[in-house]
Every structure is written in C-alpha cells, then in structure tokens.
Amino acid sequence: MARHSFFRGTVILIAAGFMTKILGFIPNIVLPRIIGAEGVGLFRMAFPVLLLVITLTTFGLPVAISKLVAEAEAKKDYNKIKSVLRISIFIVIGLSILFTILMFAFAPFISKYLLTDQRAYYPLLAITPIIPIIAISSVLRGYFQGRQNMTPSALSSLIETIVRILTVIFFALYMRPFGIEYAATAAMLGVVVGEFFGMLVLIYQFRRAKKRNLIPYTGSLFQKVKRNRIQLLEIGRIAIPVTTSRLAGNVFYVIEPVVVAQSLAYAGFSVATATSLYGELSGMAIPLVFIPTFLTYSLSVSLVPAISEAAAQKKYGLIQRRLSQSLRLTLVMCAPFAVTMYVFAVPVSTILYDQPQVGHLLQVLAPFSLFLYFQAPLAATLQGLDRAKEAMRNTIIGAAIKTIAIFLLASQPVFGIDGVAMAINVGIVLVTLFHFFSLVKLIGFTIEARTFVKVGIAMIIMGYSGSYFMTNWLDDWGLFLSLLAAVFVSILVYILLLVSMKVLGRQDVVRIPWIGEQLAPFFPKR
C-alpha cells in the first residue's frame, strides 16, 4: 500500500479538499434560489440531529483507528491492525442498526417538540439511511489514514461531492412544485445518495489494497472480539473521550436551533421569520466562513497518525515541528480568506445568494474565523498525543458557554440573529484558546509571534488595497468582474508582502509535490 509522508499526504488531502469544497459549495449557492431561506432553514434543521446520531454511531472510531493503526505500523505489528479493524467493523454495524431504528421511531417527536417546526419531520426521515453508510465509511477512512495513505479518502470525498451536487439540485428542482418541505426532503435524499457512492469508492479501494484479507471470515465474530479484548480496551480508551467531546458539541448543536428559535421568539420574531433568519446564518453565512476548513481538516487527518507515530517513537521535537508547520500553513493560507470574507462580504452575498443582508452576518463572523481554522490542528495534536480528554473538556466548556451566550444575546431585540453570530464567535475563540493552553501545559508548545505579526500586517494592507481598488477603479466593470479583479489584486498584494517579509520562501515551495521544484526558483530563500 502506498505510504505518504506527512507533508505529501496533507497536500493530497488539501488538493482534494479544495476541489470538493469548491464543488460542494454549488448546492449552497443554488439551493437558496430553489427553496428560499425558509427551505434552507428546514434543510439545516435536520443536520444537528444527524450529526449527533453519527457521533454516537461512529463512536470516535476514525480517530482511534487512525491512531492505533499508525502506532502498529510504526512497530510492524500487523496482527494488531487486523484486530483493530475487525472490532471496529463489529461496533459500527451494531450501533448503526440501533440508531437507525431510533431515528425512525423518534423523528415525529424531534421535529414537533425540539425543532419547533413540524415540517422538519420529512427531512429527518430522508437523512436517516445515511447512518450506516457513514459508519462503514468512517472505519475505512480511519484505516487508510492510519496507514498514511490519503488517496482513497481524497478520491472518495471527490466522488461523493460530485454525485451529491447532481442529486441534491435535481431532486430539489423536481420536488419544488410540491412545497418547500418536500423540496428540502428531496435535497436530503441527494445527500444520502452522494454518501453512498463515496462509501462504494472506499470499499473498492479497500478490496484493491494489498492487505485485503484484514478481516477473515472464519470463526465467530464474538469470539474474535473476546480474544482481542486488549485492542477493544485500547479503542475504548481513545474513542470514548473523542465521542464524548463530539457528543457534547453535537448535543449543543442540536440544542442550538431550539435555543435560537425560542430566543428569537422571545425577542418578538415569528416562527417563519426565525426559521428564515436561521437559514441565512446557518445555511448561507456559516458555510462561507467554513470553506477553508477543508485545509484544517486535511491537516488534522494527517496530524493524528503523524503525531501518534512520533510519540510512539518518542520523537518529541518532531511533534513540535509538525504542529508548528500545521499552524503556520493554516495561518498563511486561511488569513486571506478571512480578509476577503470581511471586506467583500456584501458583494459576495449578493452574487452567491442574491441576498445582500447575509453580508452583515458574514462580517460579524469573519474577524474571528482564524480561531476556527486553528482549532482542528490543535485538537488533532491533543488526540494524537492520547489527550483526547483535554479536547473533550475544552469542547464541552466552550459549547456550554456559546449556548448560554446565544440565549442572552439573541433574546435581545437589539441583537436578534446578530446575537447568535456573536455567541458562535465566543464559543470558537474559547475552545481554540483552551486547546492551545492545554498543549502549552502538556509539551511546552510556543508559537512564533514574529510570523503572526507579519501575516497580520499583510492582512491589513491586503484588505485596504482590495477595498480601495474596488471602490475607486472598478465602478464600471459590474459587480461580478469588480469583485473578481479586486480579490485577485488583494491576494496578489498579500503574496508579495509575505515573500518580501520572508514569510514565504523557497524552502516552502520546493516541498509542494509535482510542481514545487519548478516554482522554487521564483521565490527567495527564507
């Protein structure tokens, strides 16, 4: 099986993540035009419940499998890899059957009493079949990531995204004449179809792998689990804190639309208006802010096995170096996006959604988005160091404070939906800082402040130059061309500033697979 270096594996995931994020954003642009903000609100209301169930079903296994397989790979213990994978398959199959049945049974109660809008019942039913699909996919992804072979996961995500785009848009258009609740339900079915094709790709890649006989089919599965109870305990030791952390986050995520709806109602908004406002925030503004998370996800996926392998070999300097590389890459690549979303919030929202009011919400979220992007690499490092409990604690505290802040701010008529956005910022900042201070205490980790200052200066100049260029030079170009030119100019200014301040250098570029050596001569040494 092909094994990738940390940097190469990360770049593969970033490239695939970039493509899937850009392609995957197409439904976010098209859906509001088909089913409106209210329909998007119904579509989004079902997702928190789904994520909660998926967290319970997958049981933190992707992280546990990735970590344990990486450790076993470092020690050449291939029997342990077999055992871990076999037990994980058994766990997810049992849990997926249980929670699929529970979802079907409790969908009426959830839609009526928790989500406050009974029309969410049909999207809940439509999304339920995705549970066993994601459960099986999570095990296979964890296995490939643990072996540090990122190609299957990248290819699966790409195929899933392409299929989802086609099915979500087609199904929503087909069902739109029957009402927005049916159109939202049809869009949910498109998501299920996309995930199914992604799972098929992973199964195909697994069958092609050199170790295709990792799951023997002879003997009782229960006997195998009993014989391998040590591996089961190891899986539980990692998976339970990860699951608890994600469960806490998802519980609060499930509560979030309920708290938002009740708070906005207390502030004087009708149910339909509250649903529409929540659709603008969760279905339009937040997806824009989350676009760069394909980068942080790629880094975190690569970091868990890389940190675990380094920790197993007691290479603590390598741990610090890999985390520093990840944070520096996150800062350099995500900073211009945060600036763009703040400076050009209104034109971006107008072009994408034809709803310029979303731009205001985007401007509330964008200044704090860098904290969100740093969060994933920091959490992945804690998990790789077998400190998932710290990540769990940090997530729970941050989510609890965010939920309280939503109620306190959104219930005030002067804030309304802006209060929800501000509360989300509070939660993001707190969890990221908690993760950072946990690593400071654990490994004495420090950041290079000089790089942050240089990038901060580049961000300010980038934002000013982009705004000035669009306002004073591009009035006659039309909104789309003006935005495109202004963003291009501002990013070019940002890159030139980083090169001139030696934040970007030849050492960084030459490590890019395939094209790095060709581009390196154009960059100075750092």
Side-chain angles (χ1 to χ4, degrees), residues 448-490:
E448 187 180 352
R450 182 171 56 182
T451 299
F452 279 75
V453 171
K454 290 179 178 179
V455 174
I457 294 172
M459 291 171 66
I460 294 172
I461 298 175
M462 171 194 169
Y464 176 79
S465 61
S467 177
Y468 180 83
F469 191 78
M470 186 169 183
T471 304
N472 296 279
W473 291 84
L474 301 174
D475 289 340
D476 300 328
W477 283 36
L479 185 60
F480 178 74
L481 290 178
S482 298
L483 176 63
L484 201 62
V487 170
F488 175 79
V489 169
S490 62

Side-chain angles (χ1 to χ4, degrees), residues 320-339:
Q320 297 240 13
R321 186 163 67 251
R322 283 177 171 167
L323 177 55
S324 296
Q325 288 173 346
S326 300
L327 293 180
R328 184 170 171 274
L329 183 60
T330 299
L331 175 66
V332 169
M333 295 190 68
C334 294
F337 188 88
V339 174

Side-chain angles (χ1 to χ4, degrees), residues 109-120:
F109 173 83
I110 293 171
S111 59
K112 183 177 181 179
Y113 295 104
L114 297 183
L115 301 181
T116 71
D117 196 326
Q118 295 187 48
R119 294 175 298 175

Side-chain angles (χ1 to χ4, degrees), residues 368-442:
F368 299 91
S369 58
L370 276 177
F371 287 92
L372 170 67
Y373 308 143
F374 289 135
Q375 198 173 111
L378 293 172
T381 303
L382 286 172
Q383 292 164 358
L385 290 170
D386 203 14
R387 297 285 180 162
K389 289 183 179 179
E390 279 83 348
M392 173 191 70
R393 179 197 61 204
N394 299 340
T395 301
I396 292 174
I397 296 174
I401 294 174
K402 180 191 75 171
T403 304
I404 295 171
I406 287 176
F407 179 76
L408 293 176
L409 295 174
S411 60
Q412 303 299 316
V414 67
F415 291 126
I417 197 66
D418 287 1
V420 180
M422 289 187 286
I424 290 172
N425 289 337
V426 170
I428 289 172
V429 171
L430 287 178
V431 173
T432 303
L433 291 178
F434 290 157
H435 286 346
F436 174 74
F437 288 124
S438 293
L439 286 170
V440 170
K441 182 179 179 181
L442 184 63

